[in-house]
Amino acid sequence: MILKIKKLKSDAKLPSYGHPGDAGMDIYSCEERTLLPQEQALISTGIVMEIPDGYVGLVWDKSGLSTKHGLKTLAGVIDAGYRGEISIAMANVGNEPYTFKKGEKIAQML
């Protein structure tokens, strides 16, 4: 399968695999944004993808962000027909504010 990915912003970071054999690609933030406890927001990635027909992108938590900071991904399905910017819906279910840094791993996609 070929997955076409394009940067919308010059400083966007393309998805990548952390290790050979990983099933999930790391997805990166393209903005700095603070989420307060119990707050939800869309985090920009600065990329678009062309997922082939018959496939879907499944967005999942990064385990470290989830277990250490209480950050959860929401709305984790990217359909083949979607051609807009990939934004990751995040919720802070923890007790402390969390600031996403530009270029930080925020989710993974299978």
Side-chain angles (χ1 to χ4, degrees):
M1 172 180 62
I2 295 174
L3 179 63
K4 295 179 182 177
I5 303 171
K6 177 182 169 183
K7 287 184 179 185
L8 294 174
K9 301 173 184 173
S10 62
D11 58 351
K13 199 167 176 184
L14 293 175
S16 64
Y17 291 98
H19 305 282
D22 282 357
M25 293 185 295
D26 291 324
I27 305 289
Y28 301 88
S29 172
C30 192
E31 66 177 315
E32 183 167 310
R33 176 138 187 197
T34 299
L35 273 186
L36 300 175
Q38 308 312 310
E39 186 177 26
Q40 300 174 18
L42 289 174
I43 308 298
S44 170
T45 66
I47 62 171
V48 294
M49 293 183 184
E50 187 177 310
I51 297 172
D53 287 342
Y55 291 88
V56 65
L58 299 175
V59 179
W60 290 87
D61 298 339
K62 289 296 296 172
S63 59
L65 289 177
S66 182
T67 58
K68 295 175 188 170
H69 303 288
L71 300 169
K72 302 293 291 173
T73 58
L74 306 169
V77 173
I78 302 168
D79 284 314
Y82 179 69
R83 293 294 182 263
E85 180 182 0
I86 304 298
S87 294
I88 306 299
M90 298 293 296
N92 182 349
V93 299
N95 297 319
E96 300 292 328
Y98 185 84
T99 300
F100 292 96
K101 304 287 190 232
K102 191 180 269 193
E104 176 182 0
K105 295 176 188 177
I106 59 170
Q108 56 187 341
M109 189 176 87
L110 305 175

